Amino acid sequence: MIYDKFCWYTSPEQSASMTPAERYNHISEWAGRARGTNPGVFDELTGILSECGGLDEDGLAETEALFLRILNGFIRQNKLLHDELSDLEPAGVVNTAVFGTLERFDDELSGKTHAPFLREAVEAVFHDFGALRHPDIRKQFAGGMTGPAGTDSVAVFGYINVLKDCDASVQWTLFMPGLVSYQQQDSGIRVQHFEYKILPALRLIGAEKDLSQDPEALRKLLDTLDSLSGYRCGFDHDIIFIHHFGKGVDVEEGHGIWGRFFKADTPVPDGLEYVDLVPQNDHKQGIPYLSQFAFARFAGDVDSMLREEGFDGNAMYDITRNIILGQDVCIPYPDKYSTAEVYLDGFGSKSTAYLFSVEK
């Protein structure tokens, strides 16, 4: 049965003899296992709910009972986690960001969705499960399948997708801090500085091409960018800005622009490209992106910072992203998702810092 496929949390049998750190480690290890299991099970649930339009009364009642059992399972699990984590909090071992994720998850499980575009559909189904017979409501409620990692693009982001994201947020806040520490130790680098930046409107100007093997073209680009010094915005570093036109990475390859940020509306020299960024989300897919970032500076072995083996992107990308997820800060993926390698000493050196789009 689908209920049993979820990776449910259970308390350790010998909890009374365990130290707070050991008990918290038990919880965080469960969270890591659940993250590798639950996305696929939520996809199964999406598939089941998507078939409700063709069910008779008995089939609909059976599906409703299954759905309610799953909801109640997460409600019980959240309470158990909240109780155990509250007990451990005085020992200083708990990443307290988890409490906000549990509260948000509980709201969604009770039908009080934080997504205004889903409110009507969620209220209709919670009032009468038979509302899933209506195609539009069914699409908004069931949502789309996002694959085993939970990151595949979907045509419709629905209520089950919201539950899936809430489940992920709980798990990320539990195991990401430990993973970040391990990744720094394993890679031989460390985060020297980390902050969130909400910048004014910006314009990225540069060239979408790999200039690493073309020093003459790079020199010409830098000379042109230098000529725009009167439009400096305060974040004046050379960067490689990477974006996917607001689409998922599974359907749109990354586009890398070698350039710099300038003030909004800076005139664009002939032959160069630009991307605009604004402080507030216009809730449309793609450009303009958000001028809100996590900014991380790294120290240690410079070559290791861009190491890709064992990482989803590279070491700086993964560590920056994982810090954000561990702090329960929103990454606006995919609609406003962008990242950038930052060259603090210019393109003549190697990148030692990273920008990662967020929405605070």
Side-chain angles (χ1 to χ4, degrees), residues 60-328:
L60 194 66
E62 182 179 337
T63 302
E64 180 180 15
L66 171 64
F67 176 69
L68 292 176
R69 186 185 179 199
I70 291 171
L71 286 191
N72 288 327
F74 279 109
I75 290 171
R76 288 192 299 270
Q77 176 175 274
N78 285 357
K79 184 179 185 306
L80 177 60
L81 286 170
H82 188 280
D83 290 347
E84 292 195 12
L85 292 166
S86 296
D87 184 51
L88 294 173
E89 185 181 5
V93 296
V94 177
N95 176 21
T96 57
V98 69
F99 292 112
T101 68
L102 289 169
E103 182 178 352
R104 187 169 68 251
F105 200 1
D106 282 339
D107 284 346
E108 295 291 344
L109 293 167
S110 69
K112 299 174 183 176
T113 182
H114 289 215
F117 60 94
L118 295 176
R119 197 160 293 148
E120 184 176 348
V122 172
E123 289 177 352
V125 176
F126 271 71
H127 175 70
D128 176 11
F129 198 75
L132 287 175
R133 294 193 185 282
H134 299 279
D136 290 342
I137 290 178
R138 189 165 62 250
K139 287 180 181 178
Q140 285 192 298
F141 199 82
M145 298 183 184
T146 58
T151 56
D152 290 357
S153 301
V154 295
V156 178
F157 186 88
Y159 175 65
I160 301 305
N161 297 101
V162 173
L163 295 187
K164 185 186 304 185
D165 283 356
C166 287
D167 181 54
S169 293
V170 171
Q171 293 148 13
W172 283 327
T173 54
L174 288 168
F175 76 78
M176 278 302 185
L179 179 59
V180 167
S181 295
Y182 169 79
Q183 287 178 317
Q184 291 179 82
Q185 294 170 4
D186 183 61
S187 61
I189 65 177
R190 68 182 186 279
V191 177
Q192 189 177 49
H193 175 81
F194 184 91
E195 66 174 313
Y196 293 104
K197 288 181 172 290
I198 300 179
L199 302 173
L202 302 170
R203 172 164 285 176
L204 169 76
I205 298 177
E208 185 184 335
K209 59 188 301 185
D210 184 355
L211 299 176
S212 60
Q213 303 302 316
D214 193 343
E216 179 60 22
L218 179 57
R219 185 192 63 77
K220 290 180 179 179
L221 170 65
L222 294 176
D223 286 346
T224 303
L225 296 179
D226 287 343
S227 73
L228 299 174
S229 60
Y231 298 94
R232 288 178 178 172
C233 66
F235 192 92
D236 304 316
H237 305 294
D238 293 347
I239 65 172
I240 299 178
F241 183 88
I242 303 165
H243 71 110
H244 303 262
F245 286 108
K247 301 176 183 178
V249 298
D250 57 315
V251 296
E252 183 71 29
E253 65 180 8
H255 297 261
I257 300 177
W258 293 53
R260 293 177 195 154
F261 288 136
F262 295 93
K263 293 179 180 178
D265 300 321
T266 297
V268 181
D270 291 342
L272 296 187
E273 303 181 37
Y274 75 96
V275 171
D276 285 335
L277 302 96
V278 295
Q280 300 300 321
N281 196 336
D282 64 1
H283 300 289
K284 297 178 182 178
Q285 186 180 53
I287 301 168
Y289 296 120
L290 291 175
S291 55
Q292 300 186 32
F293 299 98
F295 176 53
R297 290 204 311 264
F298 292 81
D301 181 61
V302 177
D303 289 333
S304 294
M305 295 178 192
L306 295 175
R307 193 183 90 193
E308 297 181 359
E309 183 181 358
F311 296 95
D312 293 334
N314 58 42
M316 289 197 295
Y317 172 98
D318 278 35
I319 292 171
T320 305
R321 178 201 61 191
N322 293 347
I323 292 173
I324 298 167
L325 295 176
Q327 295 180 355
D328 191 33

